[in-house]
Amino acid sequence: MTTDTGQPTDSGRGRRRERATLLAATLTNGPNELLDFLLPLWAGAAIGLSATETGILLAVELALSLLARPLAGVLADTRDRRRVAAAGAALYAASAAGYAVATGPLSACLAAALGGIGGALLWVTISAIVSERLAEDSAVFPRLFAAQETGSWAAFVPGLALLPGIDYAGVFLLCSAACLVAAVLLLRAPAGPPPAAAPGTGTGAAAPAGDGAPAPGTGGVLAPAPASGGPVPDAAAARGNAPGTGIAAIGRRLRPMLLAVALTMTAEATLSLLLLLHLQREHDLDALNIALVFLPGAIAMSLAAEPLHRYAVRFGRSRVLAAAALSGAAFATGLALVPHPYAIAALWILSGLSWAAVMPIQQAVIAEASGPHTGRGMGVYESAGLFGALVGALAAGWLYDRADWTVCCLLAAAVLASGAVISPAALRRLGVSDLPPAPSPAPAPEPAPTPQPEPAPQPDTATPTREPEPEPGPRALARALAQRVALFALAQLALLAADLSWIQDLFTEELLATLNGGHRDGDLARWIYGAGKIWTYLVLADLLWTGWKLLRARARDRPGP
């Protein structure tokens, strides 16, 4: 198969490259989120930093991550993306190990600096790698989001369970080991298309379709026309020397969506920190119990990203963005009314669903509008998000000290609700399509049979983008189920080591008593034990439901008599 640019493509290699990248994202995002959560606790308990010194420590990582994002985008466009991402994962590993051995503020700040730079290199480049298949499968960014969030809550459960036994240093070293494994996976992933020459949306510089016409795979963004009718100089574009390819030019092109991203992140960060302060000061929860309040929303985010993408395919991105903004506003309004942490945990799922819908759409739109310079586009996109998070953190502290809790929630709800107008307007101004193509079918050795009587279509024949979304095949269902069961098994091993396993009690305690409840002493132990029990029931339901879908898929694919 060849693309419009004449470049050969290898779908199988691209899928393997994507799978390796998604697994690396899972292995790195979990430790990253866990480190961010534990860092303030560790700073005071382990090395005795004051509140001011802890704030400086966190600011060092955030500032360097923000400053390094644009440079990471340039590297993702001009260097082997596997090596750039692997370097980021290795710096993450060095950062976590640095925290494990730090003895004072200087060594802790050095570890924070490594983490900030590593995060910029890793996440900008991973987004660029994932975007390489966006033209043939619009569900790549929902899968990336799901992989990241799965890593987040899958790391929190064993990390918090093991913390009392192995202390902060042990948890940090485990995080470092996971990031090193991710670096190896990235280096061993199949090679991808050369920078600024890859076919497909967001990754390649296609030849211009004519004067003033959008280049193929650029999401409707005009490609720079050559001065004398010749080809666009790809080498110059790769180095960022071609007109309109610099960071500033890419930022101006993406400005409408960047403003929407910054606004969304400001509201989300404000609300998250307000909620954390509220749970800590009004409900007297410690940090670990607060993490368990956030856990249902994290699980919802990991499970909902791909199903929500189907709504974007069916109804359009604008409608989904508006509905997600209203969902987030409903969550913020509900926080002003519900008093109990259990109700807050349930409401947090609304925020998780909103974020699972919005973020993959934003990433896909940025990749499409960036054309052949996806790395630069992702760099400025993530910089806008970090800037919004910084503003939100400052706003949350100021509001909490000066305003009533109800007023804080309603202000956040108003900002989130405004996204129902601002985000669709930004989408229209960028000029990208409101209807992404339906996800391609799961990989199979041969094409799935079609009901149409025409001869087998050529690989380059365009297919209607509004066809019903194909159902996943047996192999895809079985692979996804195996990944979920493997994560569950790893978490259960950690719970078993911490003597918090409900499954263990099924075999060692009285069966009926364990089925009717089971218990552990202490608030944290009771929370983790109960979460493990609920997760077990969910996995059993998942096995039954997926088993039924496997039977249906096999029956569908079985040749008739």
Side-chain angles (χ1 to χ4, degrees):
M1 178 192 299
T2 60
T3 66
D4 294 335
T5 61
Q7 296 282 347
T9 62
D10 184 344
S11 295
R13 178 183 293 269
R15 291 190 184 99
R16 293 195 302 274
R17 178 175 167 91
E18 179 194 328
R19 285 198 295 270
T21 303
L22 294 182
L23 182 54
T26 299
L27 288 171
T28 47
N29 195 60
N32 175 42
E33 297 285 345
L34 186 59
L35 275 172
D36 286 346
F37 179 76
L38 292 177
L39 208 54
L41 303 174
W42 164 83
I47 58 176
L49 296 188
S50 66
T52 300
E53 290 172 328
T54 301
I56 293 173
L57 175 67
L58 300 178
V60 166
E61 180 177 6
L62 182 61
L64 283 175
S65 188
L66 179 62
L67 293 173
R69 243 70 176 181
L71 174 61
V74 174
L75 291 175
D77 280 343
T78 58
R79 300 290 185 268
D80 184 342
R81 288 172 174 170
R82 295 174 301 169
R83 295 180 180 178
V84 177
L91 286 175
Y92 254 166
S95 173
Y99 288 129
V101 300
T103 57
L106 187 59
S107 52
C109 284
L110 176 59
L114 293 175
I117 298 172
L121 294 174
L122 178 70
W123 296 119
V124 170
T125 311
I126 277 183
S127 297
I129 292 174
V130 167
S131 75
E132 291 166 1
R133 294 191 62 247
L134 182 59
E136 61 181 283
D137 187 349
S138 65
V140 290
F141 281 112
R143 282 199 292 275
L144 173 60
F145 185 86
Q148 291 173 309
E149 294 305 319
T150 298
S152 176
W153 61 261
F156 263 78
V157 174
L160 297 180
L162 293 172
L163 182 62
I166 63 177
D167 204 9
Y168 291 105
V171 173
F172 291 163
L173 289 175
L174 287 178
C175 292
S176 177
C179 293
L180 284 176
V181 172
V184 173
L185 282 173
L186 289 164
L187 288 174
R188 292 176 59 86
T201 299
T203 58
D211 250 4
T218 61
V221 177
L222 298 181
S228 58
V232 174
D234 288 346
R239 293 191 300 270
N241 297 328
T245 64
I247 290 292
I250 297 292
R252 286 192 297 271
R253 183 186 306 170
L254 302 176
R255 185 180 299 161
M257 185 55 69
L258 296 180
L259 293 175
V261 168
L263 177 71
T264 303
M265 279 302 304
T266 298
E268 289 285 345
T270 301
L271 203 54
S272 297
L273 185 52
L274 283 172
L275 180 56
L276 189 149
L277 295 171
H278 184 68
L279 291 171
Q280 181 185 53
R281 300 186 184 189
E282 299 298 326
H283 295 283
D284 296 322
L285 296 184
D286 60 25
L288 299 181
N289 282 320
I290 291 173
L292 294 172
V293 172
F294 286 93
L295 183 61
I299 295 176
M301 283 191 279
S302 68
L303 298 177
E306 289 192 70
L308 288 173
H309 174 70
R310 299 190 188 107
Y311 289 98
V313 171
R314 182 176 180 183
F315 299 109
R317 290 163 168 167
S318 295
R319 292 182 181 180
V320 172
L321 286 172
L326 295 177
S327 173
F331 160 69
T333 304
L335 283 182
L337 306 175
V338 295
H340 199 279
Y342 286 108
I344 293 174
L347 273 176
W348 186 249
I349 295 175
L350 278 178
S351 178
L353 294 176
S354 170
W355 200 232
V358 168
M359 191 168 178
I361 292 177
Q362 290 177 344
Q363 291 172 318
V365 167
I366 291 294
E368 291 175 13
S370 299
H373 309 291
T374 315
R376 293 171 174 85
M378 288 298 171
V380 295
Y381 160 74
E382 294 203 7
S383 294
L386 284 173
F387 177 77
L390 178 60
V391 173
L394 296 173
W398 187 87
L399 283 171
Y400 195 83
D401 287 337
R402 291 168 176 79
D404 179 74
W405 169 249
T406 302
V407 173
C408 292
C409 292
L410 293 179
L411 283 174
V415 176
L416 288 169
S418 69
V421 176
I422 294 173
S423 293
L427 191 70
R428 289 191 297 271
R429 288 193 62 187
L430 279 183
V432 298
S433 172
D434 187 52
L435 292 172
S440 59
E446 58 270 338
T450 61
Q452 289 133 356
E454 305 132 11
Q458 295 299 318
D460 289 335
T461 301
T463 57
T465 60
R466 302 307 301 156
E467 286 183 354
E469 181 183 338
E471 295 185 15
R475 291 176 59 189
L477 288 170
R479 186 186 303 116
L481 178 63
Q483 291 172 348
R484 295 194 294 271
V485 171
L487 286 172
F488 174 75
L490 289 173
Q492 289 301 318
L493 288 175
L495 294 176
L496 184 64
D499 193 28
L500 293 172
S501 173
W502 182 74
I503 295 179
Q504 178 191 24
D505 286 359
L506 286 176
F507 296 96
T508 58
E509 305 291 339
E510 186 180 348
L511 181 60
L512 289 178
T514 304
L515 287 173
N516 288 330
H519 69 279
R520 288 293 187 274
D521 295 329
D523 290 340
L524 175 61
R526 188 160 52 248
W527 272 88
I528 295 177
Y529 184 84
K533 175 184 174 182
I534 294 171
W535 193 4
T536 302
Y537 283 129
L538 291 175
V539 167
L540 290 175
D542 187 19
L543 287 170
L544 293 173
W545 177 247
T546 307
W548 169 248
K549 291 172 70 175
L550 277 170
L551 291 175
R552 287 182 56 196
R554 290 186 185 281
R556 183 186 69 229
D557 295 344
R558 188 180 297 121

PDB file of all heavy atoms in Angstrom, residues 204 217 261 275 277 384 394 422 504 510:
ATOM      1  N   GLY A 204       3.271  13.575   8.794  1.00  0.00           N
ATOM      2  CA  GLY A 204       4.051  13.682   7.589  1.00  0.00           C
ATOM      3  C   GLY A 204       3.815  14.931   6.823  1.00  0.00           C
ATOM      4  O   GLY A 204       2.772  15.514   6.824  1.00  0.00           O
ATOM      5  N   GLY A 217      -3.830  14.750   4.725  1.00  0.00           N
ATOM      6  CA  GLY A 217      -3.413  14.376   6.062  1.00  0.00           C
ATOM      7  C   GLY A 217      -3.086  15.517   6.964  1.00  0.00           C
ATOM      8  O   GLY A 217      -2.444  15.331   7.980  1.00  0.00           O
ATOM      9  N   VAL A 261      -7.992  24.967  25.763  1.00  0.00           N
ATOM     10  CA  VAL A 261      -7.275  24.008  26.616  1.00  0.00           C
ATOM     11  C   VAL A 261      -6.866  24.668  27.931  1.00  0.00           C
ATOM     12  O   VAL A 261      -7.040  24.097  29.016  1.00  0.00           O
ATOM     13  CB  VAL A 261      -6.036  23.462  25.866  1.00  0.00           C
ATOM     14  CG1 VAL A 261      -5.118  22.708  26.821  1.00  0.00           C
ATOM     15  CG2 VAL A 261      -6.472  22.557  24.731  1.00  0.00           C
ATOM     16  N   LEU A 275     -11.270  20.580  45.966  1.00  0.00           N
ATOM     17  CA  LEU A 275     -11.825  19.351  46.528  1.00  0.00           C
ATOM     18  C   LEU A 275     -10.862  18.698  47.497  1.00  0.00           C
ATOM     19  O   LEU A 275     -11.250  18.225  48.570  1.00  0.00           O
ATOM     20  CB  LEU A 275     -12.181  18.386  45.394  1.00  0.00           C
ATOM     21  CG  LEU A 275     -12.779  17.045  45.804  1.00  0.00           C
ATOM     22  CD1 LEU A 275     -14.023  17.244  46.653  1.00  0.00           C
ATOM     23  CD2 LEU A 275     -13.101  16.208  44.576  1.00  0.00           C
ATOM     24  N   LEU A 277      -8.512  20.179  49.299  1.00  0.00           N
ATOM     25  CA  LEU A 277      -8.498  20.979  50.529  1.00  0.00           C
ATOM     26  C   LEU A 277      -9.776  20.764  51.346  1.00  0.00           C
ATOM     27  O   LEU A 277      -9.734  20.688  52.575  1.00  0.00           O
ATOM     28  CB  LEU A 277      -8.340  22.461  50.179  1.00  0.00           C
ATOM     29  CG  LEU A 277      -7.009  22.870  49.527  1.00  0.00           C
ATOM     30  CD1 LEU A 277      -7.079  24.308  49.049  1.00  0.00           C
ATOM     31  CD2 LEU A 277      -5.858  22.682  50.501  1.00  0.00           C
ATOM     32  N   ALA A 384       0.233  24.774  27.126  1.00  0.00           N
ATOM     33  CA  ALA A 384      -1.013  25.476  27.470  1.00  0.00           C
ATOM     34  C   ALA A 384      -1.715  24.779  28.627  1.00  0.00           C
ATOM     35  O   ALA A 384      -2.250  25.428  29.532  1.00  0.00           O
ATOM     36  CB  ALA A 384      -1.934  25.541  26.250  1.00  0.00           C
ATOM     37  N   LEU A 394      -3.068  28.295  41.713  1.00  0.00           N
ATOM     38  CA  LEU A 394      -3.025  29.581  42.408  1.00  0.00           C
ATOM     39  C   LEU A 394      -4.431  30.086  42.726  1.00  0.00           C
ATOM     40  O   LEU A 394      -4.696  30.592  43.825  1.00  0.00           O
ATOM     41  CB  LEU A 394      -2.275  30.604  41.559  1.00  0.00           C
ATOM     42  CG  LEU A 394      -0.782  30.308  41.296  1.00  0.00           C
ATOM     43  CD1 LEU A 394      -0.217  31.316  40.304  1.00  0.00           C
ATOM     44  CD2 LEU A 394       0.003  30.332  42.600  1.00  0.00           C
ATOM     45  N   ILE A 422     -17.129  27.729  24.165  1.00  0.00           N
ATOM     46  CA  ILE A 422     -15.783  28.099  23.722  1.00  0.00           C
ATOM     47  C   ILE A 422     -15.112  26.967  22.951  1.00  0.00           C
ATOM     48  O   ILE A 422     -14.502  27.192  21.897  1.00  0.00           O
ATOM     49  CB  ILE A 422     -14.941  28.511  24.945  1.00  0.00           C
ATOM     50  CG1 ILE A 422     -15.514  29.793  25.559  1.00  0.00           C
ATOM     51  CG2 ILE A 422     -13.484  28.700  24.556  1.00  0.00           C
ATOM     52  CD1 ILE A 422     -14.870  30.198  26.862  1.00  0.00           C
ATOM     53  N   GLN A 504      -7.913 -13.814  49.165  1.00  0.00           N
ATOM     54  CA  GLN A 504      -7.238 -14.716  50.103  1.00  0.00           C
ATOM     55  C   GLN A 504      -8.189 -15.152  51.213  1.00  0.00           C
ATOM     56  O   GLN A 504      -8.221 -16.330  51.591  1.00  0.00           O
ATOM     57  CB  GLN A 504      -6.011 -14.008  50.700  1.00  0.00           C
ATOM     58  CG  GLN A 504      -5.272 -14.850  51.729  1.00  0.00           C
ATOM     59  CD  GLN A 504      -4.233 -14.043  52.490  1.00  0.00           C
ATOM     60  OE1 GLN A 504      -4.360 -12.823  52.574  1.00  0.00           O
ATOM     61  NE2 GLN A 504      -3.241 -14.710  53.044  1.00  0.00           N
ATOM     62  N   GLU A 510     -13.947 -18.125  56.911  1.00  0.00           N
ATOM     63  CA  GLU A 510     -15.256 -18.715  56.676  1.00  0.00           C
ATOM     64  C   GLU A 510     -15.878 -18.089  55.430  1.00  0.00           C
ATOM     65  O   GLU A 510     -15.979 -16.866  55.310  1.00  0.00           O
ATOM     66  CB  GLU A 510     -16.168 -18.480  57.885  1.00  0.00           C
ATOM     67  CG  GLU A 510     -17.497 -19.205  57.767  1.00  0.00           C
ATOM     68  CD  GLU A 510     -18.381 -18.968  58.978  1.00  0.00           C
ATOM     69  OE1 GLU A 510     -17.886 -18.445  59.986  1.00  0.00           O
ATOM     70  OE2 GLU A 510     -19.568 -19.294  58.895  1.00  0.00           O
TER      71      GLU A 510
END
